[in-house]
Amino acid sequence: MILGGQGGVGQLFAELLGDEGEVTLVDLRASTPPSGTFAMVADACRPSPQLIAELADADVVIVALPEEVGAAAIEAAAAHLPRGALIAETLSVKSTIAGPLATAAERHGLEALGVNPMFAPDLGFPGRPVLVSEVRGGSRCRRLGMLIEERGGRLVRISIPEHDRLTASLQVATHASLLAFGLASKALGADVATLVAAAPPPHRTLLALLARIITGTPEVYRDIQAAHPYAREARRAVSDAITQLDDAATSTSAARFEEILAELAEWLGPERERLAGDCAELFAHLTDIVVPEPTGDMTARPFCTPP
């Protein structure tokens, strides 16, 4: 059963579990369910008699709901699940949901798992990392992990406290940096089409990443910036890093700038060469992309102001 079955993450896990038996998609929205699934319009936080009956027969429940209703849905569902069933949540922040999940699992004799696919659901599992935080383990937890790996997903097992520290960098700082890059580029006043036409590979890559974020669902990206317990710390780290870079760039000596690069090289350690290779492959692909002609006014602009 998928609570929040009409969302992207819900659909991802519905497809994953399709070969394990009939999957029930529970959502407030009505829809035509994919083949092999059953759709139910119901409130996961206030289970109807029909939903309670379905929960009583469920082996696995995936809670693919927003943070503001996740805990209530877990508590409501857990009370009606058979002992030994698995309840798993997919929130991007684990510290706030871990307590209610552990309490519900212990009280009702359930397995419990935190899962966080580190990719947009439309990309699918193959080759993608999935963070897994075991709360109350068992055979069904292991089976879900096996299914993810069989679909090509890469499990990264991590504790709850480690999860939120890690995602502060993986998500909060990453998205904040990209959005800040977009705001800075906009403030500099360049024509976007001209930027795309003239962009060296690093700039074009950042523009592409920015476009993917702003083409997505605003609520998802806002939740990452607003709900994460380390969000302000992560954004402050990004801001402080810009200040350090500015100080190094405006110093009369090049030593500090060189020190920053050396510090980052040491931090990357043995991963540096592999990551540089990944970048080279990405940039090689960008050379195959045809860019549109710039639309900005390119006529009769002097390179310098006449005396």
Side-chain angles (χ1 to χ4, degrees), residues 12-263:
L12 178 73
F13 279 93
E15 197 275 333
L16 177 72
L17 297 172
D19 292 338
E20 298 292 290
E22 184 179 78
V23 178
T24 300
L25 307 178
V26 179
D27 207 287
L28 292 173
R29 299 167 290 175
S31 68
T32 302
S35 176
T37 64
F38 169 70
M40 178 188 299
V41 177
D43 185 343
C45 299
R46 299 173 182 81
S48 64
Q50 183 187 13
L51 178 53
I52 289 172
E54 291 288 329
L55 286 165
D57 287 334
D59 295 319
V60 176
V61 171
I62 306 292
V63 181
L65 293 167
E67 182 179 10
E68 59 266 23
V69 296
I74 286 171
E75 292 172 3
H80 304 291
L81 288 171
R83 296 185 71 83
L86 166 63
I87 186 164
E89 55 78 25
T90 63
L91 291 175
S92 59
V93 175
K94 301 301 185 194
S95 56
T96 55
I97 201 70
L101 181 61
T103 298
E106 186 69 31
R107 180 179 298 151
H108 301 289
L110 307 173
E111 296 182 28
L113 194 66
V115 185
N116 188 3
M118 298 304 295
F119 53 90
D122 60 295
L123 295 175
F125 284 108
R128 313 291 178 187
V130 180
L131 302 186
V132 176
S133 302
E134 191 173 283
V135 177
R136 198 168 189 266
S139 60
R140 288 194 168 93
C141 284
R142 292 190 293 272
R143 178 59 182 163
L144 183 61
M146 288 174 59
L147 288 174
I148 292 172
E149 290 183 317
E150 287 171 4
R151 293 298 178 91
R154 295 188 291 106
L155 294 185
V156 181
R157 301 186 185 279
I158 193 166
S159 71
I160 295 292
E162 290 174 318
H163 177 281
D164 286 1
R165 276 293 178 186
L166 188 67
T167 56
S169 177
L170 288 172
Q171 294 180 310
V172 180
T174 300
H175 298 164
S177 298
L178 287 167
L179 291 169
F181 158 76
L183 290 170
S185 297
K186 178 177 178 291
L188 290 170
D191 173 71
V192 174
T194 305
L195 280 180
V196 172
H203 187 86
R204 184 173 176 85
T205 300
L206 290 179
L207 286 176
L209 290 167
L210 175 66
R212 183 164 181 83
I213 287 179
I214 63 175
T215 304
T217 305
E219 291 81 6
V220 170
Y221 292 100
R222 184 187 183 280
D223 282 348
I224 289 171
Q225 297 296 325
H228 199 288
Y230 303 117
R232 295 195 69 180
E233 181 179 336
R235 289 192 298 273
R236 191 176 301 115
V238 172
S239 177
D240 290 347
I242 292 293
T243 299
Q244 289 183 51
L245 183 59
D246 185 63
D247 290 344
T250 55
S251 172
T252 55
S253 168
R256 179 54 189 145
F257 197 91
E258 293 170 359
E259 286 175 6
I260 288 176
L261 297 186
E263 289 168 7

